[in-house]
Coordinates of all heavy atoms in Angstrom, one line a residue:
Chain B
V624 N 32.8 35.6 44.1 CA 31.7 35.9 43.1 C 30.8 37.0 43.6 O 30.4 37.9 42.9 CB 30.9 34.6 42.8 CG1 29.7 34.9 42.0 CG2 31.8 33.6 42.1
S625 N 30.4 37.0 44.9 CA 29.5 38.0 45.4 C 30.1 39.4 45.4 O 29.5 40.4 45.0 CB 29.0 37.8 46.9 OG 28.8 36.4 47.1
T626 N 31.4 39.5 45.8 CA 32.0 40.8 45.8 C 32.1 41.3 44.4 O 31.8 42.5 44.1 CB 33.5 40.6 46.4 OG1 33.4 40.0 47.6 CG2 34.1 42.0 46.5
A627 N 32.6 40.5 43.5 CA 32.8 40.9 42.1 C 31.5 41.4 41.5 O 31.4 42.4 40.9 CB 33.4 39.8 41.2
T628 N 30.4 40.6 41.7 CA 29.1 40.9 41.2 C 28.6 42.2 41.8 O 28.1 43.1 41.1 CB 28.1 39.8 41.4 OG1 28.8 38.6 40.9 CG2 26.8 40.0 40.6
G629 N 28.6 42.2 43.1 CA 28.1 43.4 43.8 C 28.8 44.7 43.5 O 28.2 45.7 43.1
V630 N 30.1 44.6 43.5 CA 30.9 45.8 43.2 C 30.6 46.3 41.8 O 30.3 47.5 41.5 CB 32.4 45.6 43.4 CG1 33.2 46.7 42.8 CG2 32.7 45.4 44.9
M631 N 30.6 45.4 40.8 CA 30.5 45.8 39.4 C 29.0 46.3 39.2 O 28.8 47.2 38.4 CB 30.8 44.7 38.4 CG 32.3 44.4 38.4 SD 33.5 45.8 38.5 CE 33.2 46.7 37.0
A632 N 28.0 45.7 39.9 CA 26.7 46.2 39.7 C 26.6 47.6 40.2 O 26.0 48.5 39.5 CB 25.7 45.3 40.5
V633 N 27.1 47.9 41.4 CA 27.0 49.2 42.0 C 27.8 50.2 41.1 O 27.4 51.3 40.8 CB 27.4 49.2 43.4 CG1 27.6 50.6 44.0 CG2 26.4 48.5 44.3
M634 N 29.0 49.8 40.7 CA 29.9 50.7 40.0 C 29.4 51.0 38.6 O 29.8 52.1 38.1 CB 31.3 50.1 40.0 CG 31.9 50.1 41.4 SD 31.9 51.8 42.1 CE 31.7 51.3 43.8
S635 N 28.7 50.1 38.0 CA 28.2 50.5 36.7 C 27.2 51.7 36.7 O 27.2 52.5 35.9 CB 27.7 49.3 35.9 OG 26.8 48.6 36.7
V636 N 26.4 51.7 37.8 CA 25.5 52.8 38.0 C 26.3 54.0 38.4 O 26.1 55.1 37.8 CB 24.4 52.5 39.0 CG1 23.6 53.7 39.3 CG2 23.6 51.3 38.7
A637 N 27.2 53.8 39.3 CA 28.1 54.9 39.7 C 28.8 55.6 38.6 O 28.9 56.8 38.5 CB 29.0 54.5 40.8
A638 N 29.3 54.7 37.7 CA 30.0 55.2 36.5 C 29.1 56.1 35.6 O 29.6 57.1 35.1 CB 30.6 54.0 35.7
W639 N 27.9 55.7 35.5 CA 26.9 56.5 34.7 C 26.8 57.9 35.4 O 26.9 58.9 34.8 CB 25.6 55.9 34.7 CG 24.6 56.7 33.9 CD1 24.4 56.8 32.6 CD2 23.7 57.6 34.5 NE1 23.5 57.7 32.2 CE2 23.0 58.2 33.4 CE3 23.4 58.0 35.8 CZ2 22.0 59.2 33.5 CZ3 22.4 59.0 35.9 CH2 21.7 59.6 34.8
M640 N 26.7 57.8 36.8 CA 26.6 59.1 37.5 C 27.8 60.0 37.3 O 27.6 61.2 37.1 CB 26.3 58.8 39.0 CG 25.0 58.1 39.3 SD 25.0 57.4 40.9 CE 24.7 58.8 41.9
V641 N 29.0 59.5 37.5 CA 30.1 60.4 37.4 C 30.5 60.7 36.0 O 31.1 61.8 35.8 CB 31.4 59.8 38.2 CG1 31.0 59.4 39.6 CG2 32.0 58.6 37.4
V642 N 30.2 59.9 35.0 CA 30.6 60.2 33.6 C 29.5 61.1 33.0 O 29.8 62.0 32.2 CB 30.9 59.0 32.8 CG1 31.1 59.3 31.4 CG2 32.1 58.2 33.4
R643 N 28.2 60.7 33.2 CA 27.2 61.3 32.5 C 26.5 62.5 33.3 O 26.4 63.6 32.8 CB 26.0 60.3 32.2 CG 26.3 59.4 31.1 CD 26.3 60.2 29.7 NE 26.4 59.2 28.7 CZ 27.5 58.6 28.2 NH1 28.6 59.1 28.7 NH2 27.4 57.7 27.3
A644 N 26.1 62.2 34.5 CA 25.4 63.2 35.3 C 26.3 64.4 35.6 O 26.0 65.5 35.4 CB 24.9 62.6 36.6
R645 N 27.6 64.1 36.0 CA 28.6 65.1 36.2 C 28.1 66.3 37.0 O 28.5 67.4 36.6 CB 29.2 65.5 34.9 CG 30.0 64.4 34.2 CD 30.8 65.0 33.1 NE 31.9 65.8 33.6 CZ 33.0 65.3 34.0 NH1 33.2 64.0 34.1 NH2 34.0 66.1 34.4
T646 N 27.3 66.2 37.9 CA 26.9 67.3 38.8 C 27.9 67.4 39.9 O 28.8 66.5 40.1 CB 25.5 67.2 39.3 OG1 25.3 65.9 39.7 CG2 24.5 67.5 38.1
R647 N 27.7 68.4 40.8 CA 28.7 68.6 41.8 C 29.0 67.4 42.7 O 30.1 67.0 43.0 CB 28.4 69.8 42.7 CG 29.4 70.9 42.5 CD 29.0 72.1 43.3 NE 27.7 72.6 43.0 CZ 27.0 73.5 43.7 NH1 27.5 73.9 44.9 NH2 25.9 73.9 43.4
G648 N 27.9 66.8 43.2 CA 28.0 65.6 44.1 C 28.8 64.5 43.5 O 29.5 63.8 44.2
T649 N 28.7 64.4 42.2 CA 29.4 63.2 41.6 C 30.9 63.2 41.6 O 31.5 62.2 41.7 CB 28.9 63.0 40.1 OG1 29.3 64.2 39.4 CG2 27.4 62.8 40.0
G650 N 31.5 64.4 41.6 CA 32.9 64.6 41.8 C 33.4 64.0 43.1 O 34.3 63.2 43.2
V651 N 32.6 64.3 44.2 CA 32.9 63.8 45.5 C 32.8 62.3 45.5 O 33.6 61.6 46.0 CB 31.9 64.4 46.5 CG1 32.2 63.9 47.9 CG2 32.1 65.9 46.5
L652 N 31.7 61.8 44.8 CA 31.5 60.4 44.8 C 32.6 59.7 44.1 O 33.1 58.6 44.6 CB 30.2 60.2 44.0 CG 29.5 58.8 44.2 CD1 29.0 58.7 45.6 CD2 28.4 58.6 43.1

Side-chain angles (χ1 to χ4, degrees):
Chain B
V624 171
S625 322
T626 307
T628 311
V630 167
M631 290 323 293
V633 169
M634 289 307 146
S635 48
V636 176
W639 180 84
M640 291 162 77
V641 306
V642 175
R643 283 290 192 275
R645 294 194 69 82
T646 45
R647 246 182 298 167
T649 59
V651 178
L652 198 67

